[in-house]
Amino acid sequence: MTADHPRPPPRRRFVLGCNQLKGLFWQVLVVGIAIAVIAFLLSNTVTNLSARRITTGFAFLGREAGMPIADSLLAYNPGDTYLWAFVVGVANTLRVAVIGILLATILGTLIGISRLSANWLLSRLAAVYVETLRDIPLLLQLLFWYVLMQALPAARAAWRPVEGIFLSNRGLILPAIPFGPPQLTVLGTAVLGCAVFFLFRRWLVAQQMRDGKPRPAWPSALGLIVVVPAAISLVLGVSWTVEWPQLRGFNFVGGLTLAPEYFALLIALVTYTSAFIAEIVRSGIQSVPRGQWDAANALGLRRSFMLRQIILPQALRVIVPPMTSQYLNLTKNSSLAVAIGYQDVVSIANTTLNQTGQAIEAIALIMAVFLTISLSISFFMNWYNARIALVER
């Protein structure tokens, strides 16, 4: 008997049809033209810069900036380098974007829910808010709030809506807790405790799904987020004394001061973006089938409980994708700060451009900063959207 030898696998032949060859040809042609255009522009730019004896590169970032930055989140003085000035500008931009996103989300959600309220006056006021702010250009709103801040009384006659809070043409002055390394250590421990509790709670839910036994999560939350940071605070002797602002001379001393430029920019971005977020929230809630409302009403559930536990979790799947666009818009619109003199990364880059003549490098840094921030926001929101997406079996 002869042993059967396995046949070698047939060779795969890649045969391109006429239409595929045409498509490949046009793709290669378009990519080639794009590369040629970019190469021409780069070559032309380098030639013109050399002819005008303008240096290129980012070596200027190591030189002394010499520019003043009045309102900065990080410590800065004019003797620092241009690189540190850019870092301060990025911090100022993030200071507006992060707080603005948080406040706009809260305000927009409340207004969006108010538009669906059974109270006629509340729903009409919410509609007027949305339609008015959406139809006025953001730059005009920004200038309006800035002029309004400048029209406030001087520091000696500052408004005091609540004890310890002052509003004047110097900005908004609030009580504050001085932060240093010890306080940051305690806060970092609390944040780490939140992350550990999140993972531990997921494990508890998995165990409950396995054996059906509920396990309370609040003792671990209390220990990780409250008890452990409090113990570290006691061991380190951290002081949590509130620093109250006081009027001395023509200005305030102590506390937290929100400059008029920053405060006007924050108000304009929050109110403008919240009007769009309100419509997103309203449409997301209306996308939930009416049967969900009827079933919750039949069970006698409170309206607040229905929204929090039944309606909004389902509406998030519709709300999150367009909400991402609004977060990106708010971040990019913060560049309008240059119109009122708030020194964000765009303003600092413009000053750097005028002082050094490095126009291409300064603009490239601005583009890189906003591209990085936007991609980070998109990545986080896409991750969150994937977590809450419906999974079909």
Side-chain angles (χ1 to χ4, degrees), residues 368-379:
V369 167
F370 279 103
L371 180 62
T372 302
I373 297 174
S374 299
L375 290 178
S376 301
I377 294 174
S378 299
F379 176 80

Side-chain angles (χ1 to χ4, degrees), residues 53-65:
R53 298 181 180 180
I54 299 176
T55 59
T56 58
F58 294 93
F60 71 96
L61 292 176
R63 301 206 303 262
E64 180 180 326

